[in-house]
Each structure stands twice: as C-alpha cells, then as structure tokens.
Short mmCIF file of all heavy atoms in Angstrom, two decimals:
data_model
loop_
_atom_site.label_atom_id
_atom_site.label_comp_id
_atom_site.label_asym_id
_atom_site.label_seq_id
_atom_site.Cartn_x
_atom_site.Cartn_y
_atom_site.Cartn_z
N VAL A 1 3.69 33.72 -4.98
CA VAL A 1 2.55 34.45 -4.24
C VAL A 1 1.31 33.58 -4.18
O VAL A 1 0.65 33.47 -3.09
CB VAL A 1 2.31 35.82 -4.80
CG1 VAL A 1 1.12 36.50 -4.06
CG2 VAL A 1 3.54 36.69 -4.79
N VAL A 2 0.86 33.07 -5.27
CA VAL A 2 -0.45 32.49 -5.33
C VAL A 2 -0.39 30.95 -5.83
O VAL A 2 -1.44 30.32 -5.85
CB VAL A 2 -1.33 33.14 -6.39
CG1 VAL A 2 -1.62 34.57 -6.03
CG2 VAL A 2 -0.80 33.08 -7.81
N GLY A 3 0.76 30.34 -5.95
CA GLY A 3 0.92 29.03 -6.34
C GLY A 3 0.46 28.03 -5.36
O GLY A 3 0.13 26.86 -5.72
N SER A 4 0.31 28.44 -4.13
CA SER A 4 -0.28 27.47 -3.09
C SER A 4 -1.48 28.14 -2.42
O SER A 4 -1.66 27.93 -1.23
CB SER A 4 0.86 27.27 -2.05
OG SER A 4 1.97 26.61 -2.67
N ALA A 5 -2.23 28.88 -3.20
CA ALA A 5 -3.37 29.52 -2.71
C ALA A 5 -4.47 28.47 -2.21
O ALA A 5 -4.33 27.30 -2.57
CB ALA A 5 -3.96 30.44 -3.69
N PRO A 6 -5.48 28.89 -1.54
CA PRO A 6 -6.50 27.97 -1.08
C PRO A 6 -7.14 27.11 -2.17
O PRO A 6 -7.16 27.55 -3.35
CB PRO A 6 -7.58 28.87 -0.41
CG PRO A 6 -6.81 30.05 0.02
CD PRO A 6 -5.71 30.27 -1.03
N LEU A 7 -7.73 26.00 -1.90
CA LEU A 7 -8.23 25.07 -2.87
C LEU A 7 -9.30 25.67 -3.69
O LEU A 7 -9.70 25.12 -4.74
CB LEU A 7 -8.61 23.76 -2.21
CG LEU A 7 -7.52 22.91 -1.68
CD1 LEU A 7 -8.05 21.57 -0.89
CD2 LEU A 7 -6.49 22.51 -2.75
N ALA A 8 -10.07 26.67 -3.19
CA ALA A 8 -11.07 27.34 -3.90
C ALA A 8 -10.57 27.80 -5.31
O ALA A 8 -11.45 27.91 -6.21
CB ALA A 8 -11.69 28.48 -3.01
N ASN A 9 -9.31 28.11 -5.26
CA ASN A 9 -8.76 28.50 -6.60
C ASN A 9 -7.96 27.45 -7.33
O ASN A 9 -7.12 27.72 -8.22
CB ASN A 9 -7.81 29.77 -6.38
CG ASN A 9 -8.59 30.95 -6.03
OD1 ASN A 9 -9.70 31.30 -6.57
ND2 ASN A 9 -8.08 31.79 -5.00
N ALA A 10 -8.20 26.22 -7.05
CA ALA A 10 -7.38 25.12 -7.52
C ALA A 10 -7.29 25.10 -9.02
O ALA A 10 -6.20 24.87 -9.55
CB ALA A 10 -7.91 23.77 -6.94
N ASN A 11 -8.41 25.18 -9.72
CA ASN A 11 -8.41 25.12 -11.19
C ASN A 11 -7.52 26.22 -11.78
O ASN A 11 -6.75 25.97 -12.68
CB ASN A 11 -9.81 25.20 -11.73
CG ASN A 11 -10.61 24.00 -11.41
OD1 ASN A 11 -10.04 22.85 -11.23
ND2 ASN A 11 -11.89 24.12 -11.36
N LYS A 12 -7.62 27.46 -11.31
CA LYS A 12 -6.92 28.58 -11.88
C LYS A 12 -5.43 28.44 -11.48
O LYS A 12 -4.63 28.72 -12.34
CB LYS A 12 -7.41 29.89 -11.16
CG LYS A 12 -8.86 30.22 -11.60
CD LYS A 12 -9.30 31.52 -11.00
CE LYS A 12 -10.72 31.85 -11.35
NZ LYS A 12 -11.21 33.09 -10.77
N ILE A 13 -5.15 27.93 -10.30
CA ILE A 13 -3.64 27.72 -10.02
C ILE A 13 -3.08 26.61 -10.81
O ILE A 13 -1.90 26.76 -11.26
CB ILE A 13 -3.57 27.33 -8.45
CG1 ILE A 13 -4.04 28.54 -7.64
CG2 ILE A 13 -2.11 26.94 -8.12
CD1 ILE A 13 -4.24 28.12 -6.15
N ASN A 14 -3.91 25.52 -11.17
CA ASN A 14 -3.34 24.50 -12.01
C ASN A 14 -3.10 25.14 -13.42
O ASN A 14 -2.04 24.80 -14.06
CB ASN A 14 -4.47 23.47 -12.18
CG ASN A 14 -4.58 22.54 -10.93
OD1 ASN A 14 -3.77 22.60 -10.03
ND2 ASN A 14 -5.64 21.79 -10.83
N GLN A 15 -3.95 25.93 -13.92
CA GLN A 15 -3.72 26.64 -15.15
C GLN A 15 -2.41 27.41 -15.16
O GLN A 15 -1.71 27.44 -16.17
CB GLN A 15 -5.02 27.43 -15.55
CG GLN A 15 -6.18 26.67 -15.81
CD GLN A 15 -7.43 27.56 -16.02
OE1 GLN A 15 -7.42 28.67 -16.07
NE2 GLN A 15 -8.61 26.93 -16.04
N LEU A 16 -2.22 28.15 -14.03
CA LEU A 16 -1.02 29.00 -13.92
C LEU A 16 0.27 28.05 -14.06
O LEU A 16 1.14 28.43 -14.79
CB LEU A 16 -1.05 29.85 -12.65
CG LEU A 16 0.15 30.79 -12.44
CD1 LEU A 16 0.21 31.78 -13.56
CD2 LEU A 16 -0.05 31.44 -11.13
N TRP A 17 0.30 27.07 -13.21
CA TRP A 17 1.37 26.13 -13.18
C TRP A 17 1.65 25.49 -14.59
O TRP A 17 2.75 25.36 -15.07
CB TRP A 17 1.25 24.98 -12.18
CG TRP A 17 1.68 25.50 -10.81
CD1 TRP A 17 0.84 25.78 -9.74
CD2 TRP A 17 2.98 25.71 -10.33
NE1 TRP A 17 1.57 26.13 -8.68
CE2 TRP A 17 2.87 26.10 -9.00
CE3 TRP A 17 4.24 25.52 -10.87
CZ2 TRP A 17 4.01 26.40 -8.15
CZ3 TRP A 17 5.42 25.84 -10.14
CH2 TRP A 17 5.29 26.21 -8.77
N ASN A 18 0.51 25.04 -15.30
CA ASN A 18 0.61 24.48 -16.56
C ASN A 18 1.07 25.54 -17.63
O ASN A 18 1.79 25.17 -18.54
CB ASN A 18 -0.74 23.94 -16.96
CG ASN A 18 -1.03 22.57 -16.40
OD1 ASN A 18 -0.28 21.60 -16.46
ND2 ASN A 18 -2.21 22.36 -15.73
N SER A 19 0.67 26.76 -17.50
CA SER A 19 1.12 27.83 -18.35
C SER A 19 2.70 28.00 -18.20
O SER A 19 3.36 28.11 -19.21
CB SER A 19 0.36 29.07 -18.05
OG SER A 19 0.87 30.16 -18.87
N LEU A 20 3.12 27.89 -16.95
CA LEU A 20 4.59 28.00 -16.78
C LEU A 20 5.26 26.82 -17.34
O LEU A 20 6.30 27.00 -18.08
CB LEU A 20 4.85 28.07 -15.22
CG LEU A 20 6.36 27.99 -14.80
CD1 LEU A 20 7.21 29.03 -15.47
CD2 LEU A 20 6.46 27.96 -13.30
N LEU A 21 4.75 25.62 -17.20
CA LEU A 21 5.34 24.46 -17.82
C LEU A 21 5.37 24.56 -19.29
O LEU A 21 6.44 24.26 -20.00
CB LEU A 21 4.57 23.21 -17.39
CG LEU A 21 5.10 21.79 -17.96
CD1 LEU A 21 6.56 21.64 -17.50
CD2 LEU A 21 4.24 20.73 -17.56
N ARG A 22 4.35 25.06 -19.96
CA ARG A 22 4.37 25.19 -21.38
C ARG A 22 5.40 26.11 -21.92
O ARG A 22 6.00 25.99 -22.91
CB ARG A 22 2.94 25.65 -21.87
CG ARG A 22 1.80 24.57 -21.98
CD ARG A 22 0.64 25.08 -22.75
NE ARG A 22 0.07 26.27 -22.20
CZ ARG A 22 -0.88 26.24 -21.26
NH1 ARG A 22 -1.29 25.13 -20.72
NH2 ARG A 22 -1.35 27.35 -20.79
N PHE A 23 5.57 27.24 -21.07
CA PHE A 23 6.58 28.26 -21.40
C PHE A 23 7.94 27.62 -21.41
O PHE A 23 8.77 27.79 -22.32
CB PHE A 23 6.50 29.42 -20.38
CG PHE A 23 7.66 30.40 -20.55
CD1 PHE A 23 7.77 31.20 -21.62
CD2 PHE A 23 8.68 30.29 -19.65
CE1 PHE A 23 8.89 32.05 -21.73
CE2 PHE A 23 9.82 31.15 -19.77
CZ PHE A 23 9.81 32.06 -20.80
N GLU A 24 8.20 26.85 -20.29
CA GLU A 24 9.54 26.20 -20.21
C GLU A 24 9.77 25.12 -21.33
O GLU A 24 10.87 25.00 -21.85
CB GLU A 24 9.69 25.63 -18.89
CG GLU A 24 9.71 26.51 -17.68
CD GLU A 24 10.85 27.59 -17.69
OE1 GLU A 24 11.70 27.59 -18.60
OE2 GLU A 24 10.86 28.40 -16.72
N LEU A 25 8.73 24.44 -21.70
CA LEU A 25 8.81 23.42 -22.70
C LEU A 25 8.94 24.00 -24.08
O LEU A 25 9.77 23.52 -24.92
CB LEU A 25 7.54 22.50 -22.62
CG LEU A 25 7.57 21.49 -21.59
CD1 LEU A 25 6.13 20.78 -21.52
CD2 LEU A 25 8.64 20.30 -21.72
N GLU A 26 8.06 24.98 -24.41
CA GLU A 26 7.95 25.46 -25.76
C GLU A 26 8.86 26.61 -26.14
O GLU A 26 9.20 26.86 -27.30
CB GLU A 26 6.48 25.76 -26.09
CG GLU A 26 5.64 24.57 -25.92
CD GLU A 26 4.15 24.87 -26.03
OE1 GLU A 26 3.79 26.06 -26.38
OE2 GLU A 26 3.31 24.05 -25.84
N VAL A 27 9.16 27.43 -25.15
CA VAL A 27 9.89 28.70 -25.41
C VAL A 27 11.36 28.62 -24.87
O VAL A 27 12.33 28.78 -25.66
CB VAL A 27 9.16 29.97 -24.78
CG1 VAL A 27 9.99 31.21 -25.10
CG2 VAL A 27 7.77 29.97 -25.33
N SER A 28 11.47 28.41 -23.59
CA SER A 28 12.76 28.38 -23.05
C SER A 28 13.52 27.04 -23.44
O SER A 28 14.77 27.13 -23.66
CB SER A 28 12.87 28.53 -21.51
OG SER A 28 12.48 27.31 -20.91
N LYS A 29 12.75 25.95 -23.48
CA LYS A 29 13.25 24.65 -23.79
C LYS A 29 14.54 24.32 -22.88
O LYS A 29 15.51 23.80 -23.26
CB LYS A 29 13.73 24.62 -25.28
CG LYS A 29 12.56 24.90 -26.20
CD LYS A 29 12.92 24.78 -27.63
CE LYS A 29 11.71 25.03 -28.51
NZ LYS A 29 12.13 25.08 -30.01
N ASP A 30 14.33 24.75 -21.59
CA ASP A 30 15.35 24.51 -20.62
C ASP A 30 15.07 23.26 -19.76
O ASP A 30 14.15 23.23 -19.06
CB ASP A 30 15.47 25.77 -19.70
CG ASP A 30 16.62 25.71 -18.70
OD1 ASP A 30 16.91 24.61 -18.23
OD2 ASP A 30 17.24 26.69 -18.36
N ALA A 31 15.76 22.16 -20.05
CA ALA A 31 15.48 20.88 -19.39
C ALA A 31 15.54 20.97 -17.89
O ALA A 31 14.73 20.38 -17.18
CB ALA A 31 16.52 19.82 -19.85
N THR A 32 16.43 21.81 -17.37
CA THR A 32 16.56 21.94 -15.90
C THR A 32 15.36 22.60 -15.31
O THR A 32 14.78 22.08 -14.33
CB THR A 32 17.82 22.75 -15.52
OG1 THR A 32 18.99 22.15 -16.08
CG2 THR A 32 17.92 22.91 -14.03
N GLN A 33 14.86 23.66 -16.03
CA GLN A 33 13.62 24.32 -15.50
C GLN A 33 12.42 23.44 -15.70
O GLN A 33 11.51 23.37 -14.77
CB GLN A 33 13.44 25.60 -16.26
CG GLN A 33 14.44 26.60 -16.13
CD GLN A 33 14.53 27.14 -14.73
OE1 GLN A 33 13.45 27.17 -14.03
NE2 GLN A 33 15.68 27.67 -14.34
N VAL A 34 12.32 22.66 -16.73
CA VAL A 34 11.21 21.74 -16.93
C VAL A 34 11.13 20.69 -15.83
O VAL A 34 10.15 20.36 -15.23
CB VAL A 34 11.32 21.03 -18.31
CG1 VAL A 34 10.26 19.97 -18.45
CG2 VAL A 34 11.11 22.05 -19.40
N ALA A 35 12.37 20.15 -15.55
CA ALA A 35 12.47 19.12 -14.49
C ALA A 35 12.06 19.71 -13.14
O ALA A 35 11.50 18.94 -12.28
CB ALA A 35 13.87 18.53 -14.42
N GLU A 36 12.29 20.95 -12.91
CA GLU A 36 11.89 21.57 -11.57
C GLU A 36 10.42 21.75 -11.50
O GLU A 36 9.83 21.68 -10.61
CB GLU A 36 12.71 22.95 -11.52
CG GLU A 36 12.43 23.60 -10.21
CD GLU A 36 13.27 24.84 -10.08
OE1 GLU A 36 14.32 24.94 -10.64
OE2 GLU A 36 12.78 25.75 -9.38
N VAL A 37 9.80 22.17 -12.62
CA VAL A 37 8.39 22.53 -12.61
C VAL A 37 7.52 21.40 -12.76
O VAL A 37 6.50 21.26 -12.08
CB VAL A 37 8.06 23.49 -13.86
CG1 VAL A 37 6.59 23.70 -13.87
CG2 VAL A 37 8.87 24.79 -13.62
N CYS A 38 7.94 20.27 -13.46
CA CYS A 38 7.05 19.08 -13.69
C CYS A 38 6.53 18.44 -12.38
O CYS A 38 5.27 18.16 -12.29
CB CYS A 38 7.81 18.06 -14.48
SG CYS A 38 7.50 18.19 -16.23
N PRO A 39 7.33 18.23 -11.33
CA PRO A 39 6.80 17.49 -10.12
C PRO A 39 5.67 18.40 -9.47
O PRO A 39 4.78 17.87 -8.95
CB PRO A 39 7.99 17.42 -9.27
CG PRO A 39 9.18 17.47 -10.21
CD PRO A 39 8.81 18.37 -11.34
N VAL A 40 5.85 19.76 -9.53
CA VAL A 40 4.86 20.64 -8.89
C VAL A 40 3.54 20.60 -9.74
O VAL A 40 2.52 20.49 -9.14
CB VAL A 40 5.41 22.10 -8.85
CG1 VAL A 40 4.32 22.97 -8.10
CG2 VAL A 40 6.72 22.15 -8.21
N VAL A 41 3.62 20.58 -11.06
CA VAL A 41 2.50 20.44 -11.85
C VAL A 41 1.72 19.16 -11.57
O VAL A 41 0.52 19.06 -11.41
CB VAL A 41 2.79 20.57 -13.30
CG1 VAL A 41 1.61 20.30 -14.16
CG2 VAL A 41 3.38 21.97 -13.67
N SER A 42 2.53 18.06 -11.50
CA SER A 42 1.93 16.76 -11.26
C SER A 42 1.22 16.75 -9.84
O SER A 42 0.17 16.10 -9.71
CB SER A 42 3.02 15.67 -11.21
OG SER A 42 3.60 15.61 -12.49
N LEU A 43 1.89 17.47 -8.90
CA LEU A 43 1.28 17.46 -7.52
C LEU A 43 0.04 18.16 -7.56
O LEU A 43 -1.02 17.75 -6.89
CB LEU A 43 2.22 18.23 -6.57
CG LEU A 43 1.78 18.48 -5.13
CD1 LEU A 43 1.55 17.11 -4.40
CD2 LEU A 43 2.77 19.33 -4.41
N HIS A 44 -0.10 19.35 -8.29
CA HIS A 44 -1.37 20.09 -8.37
C HIS A 44 -2.39 19.31 -9.11
O HIS A 44 -3.61 19.33 -8.87
CB HIS A 44 -1.14 21.49 -9.02
CG HIS A 44 -0.54 22.38 -7.98
ND1 HIS A 44 -1.37 23.24 -7.23
CD2 HIS A 44 0.75 22.68 -7.63
CE1 HIS A 44 -0.55 24.03 -6.52
NE2 HIS A 44 0.71 23.72 -6.74
#
C-alpha cells in the first residue's frame, strides 16, 4: 500500500522496508525472503 508512496515520505518508507528486512534476517531467518527484500531496500 505505502511502499512506493511519494518521495515526501521517503525516510519513513525506508524505515518500513528496513524494518521488514530486519524481521526477515533476525526472526524468520528465511534466505529466500531476505533475497527478495534486499534489492528493494537497496533501491530505496
């Protein structure tokens, strides 16, 4: 819903994507999910 919101919210969106990445790295520890999220985090 908000992952590609206007750039006015860029910092908050980056934090949301990074929070998702931390969850996948530290809690789920699912390499497939991490690989899927990482490029998007890098893009943002």
Side-chain angles (χ1 to χ4, degrees):
V1 175
V2 300
S4 300
L7 292 178
N9 289 320
N11 288 337
K12 293 178 181 178
I13 295 168
N14 289 346
Q15 291 171 10
L16 182 61
W17 277 106
N18 279 310
S19 178
L20 170 57
L21 179 58
R22 282 195 302 273
F23 170 76
E24 298 294 4
L25 283 169
E26 299 171 7
V27 181
S28 79
K29 300 179 181 178
D30 186 324
T32 301
Q33 295 294 332
V34 171
E36 183 178 330
V37 174
C38 267
V40 182
V41 173
S42 298
L43 177 64
H44 281 269

